[in-house]
Amino acid sequence: MAALVVYFSFEGNTKLIAKTIAETVGADLTELKTSKEYPKQGFQKFFWGGKSVLFGEKPELTNDPIDLSRYDTIILGTPVWAGSFAPPLKTFFSKYQITGKRIALFASHGGGGAKKCMATIKATIPNNDFIGEIDFQDPKKHPEENAAKAVEWAQKLL
Ligand SMILES: Cc1cc2nc3c(=O)[nH]c(=O)nc-3n(C[C@H](O)[C@H](O)[C@H](O)COP(=O)(O)O)c2cc1C
């Protein structure tokens, strides 16, 4: 299996899980980075982030081009934002044609919306084989427990 973990993380929760999964399955790891920073403080972060999901924004990415043809398996991670996936993934989906891959999904959240978020990803990139999905509640609050959960899940993807 040649696997790539692609993720966006605003506050480090999804990043923790992404790194753990990549180490477990021996995958390459790509963090999606945006040219503009979202505000990180208080109400502002929910306002700008939520607005950006609702308006279907596609923030510009600063990543080098990714050669997806090298991978048969893509493991996608996102925080849940307003019950959906974070906008940088929307940019990723519009830049790259993702078809015929084995796809596994993981999401970090504060308590709800992961099922809907992952269903929306599946509807956005339908022509793939979805091999697994899992969600984590604010993994940085319980890093060891959540890393162990990620390892157990990732091993089943191999
Ligand atoms: C703009 C914004 C919207 C969010 N919307 C939701 C939501 O709908 N449901 C939820 O459970 N958590 C929501 N959260 C919380 C994050 O999903 C959660 O804190 C997650 O662990 C953050 O992952 P990260 O550190 O990788 O960015 C939201 C956070 C932000 C910043």
Side-chain angles (χ1 to χ4, degrees):
M1 173 175 96
L4 173 68
V5 176
V6 178
Y7 72 100
F8 172 73
S9 184
F10 189 48
E11 296 175 294
N13 289 278
T14 312
K15 183 176 196 145
L16 174 77
I17 301 299
K19 286 170 87 169
T20 307
I21 292 170
E23 278 164 22
T24 305
V25 300
D28 291 343
L29 185 61
T30 294
E31 178 174 13
L32 298 177
K33 298 269 195 188
T34 57
S35 52
K36 273 191 213 146
E37 282 260 326
Y38 291 96
K40 284 222 152 84
Q41 301 307 313
F43 173 73
Q44 279 275 308
K45 79 175 177 186
F46 292 105
F47 179 76
W48 288 107
K51 179 175 129 333
S52 149
V53 172
L54 295 177
F55 285 91
E57 285 177 13
K58 289 185 266 184
E60 189 193 356
L61 300 177
T62 57
N63 299 78
D64 291 335
I66 306 165
D67 181 6
L68 292 182
S69 69
R70 294 171 50 205
Y71 305 100
D72 56 71
T73 303
I74 302 175
I75 305 169
L76 292 166
T78 180
V80 175
W81 276 17
S84 189
F85 54 87
L89 273 90
K90 195 170 178 83
T91 315
F92 177 70
F93 295 146
S94 73
K95 271 181 96 125
Y96 296 94
Q97 226 206 341
I98 305 170
T99 52
K101 303 286 186 192
R102 299 168 80 235
I103 304 273
L105 306 174
F106 64 99
S108 307
H109 59 89
K115 282 256 143 38
K116 184 172 160 246
C117 165
M118 293 197 267
T120 310
I121 294 178
K122 287 191 266 188
T124 306
I125 49 166
N127 300 316
N128 293 285
D129 180 17
F130 292 92
I131 58 169
E133 61 183 64
I134 191 167
D135 65 277
F136 299 85
Q137 184 162 359
D138 286 330
K140 278 198 330 190
K141 283 191 187 155
H142 304 283
E144 275 116 44
E145 192 183 300
N146 281 293
K149 180 176 160 181
V151 168
E152 197 191 334
W153 178 74
Q155 279 168 342
K156 291 188 204 139
L157 303 175
L158 286 167

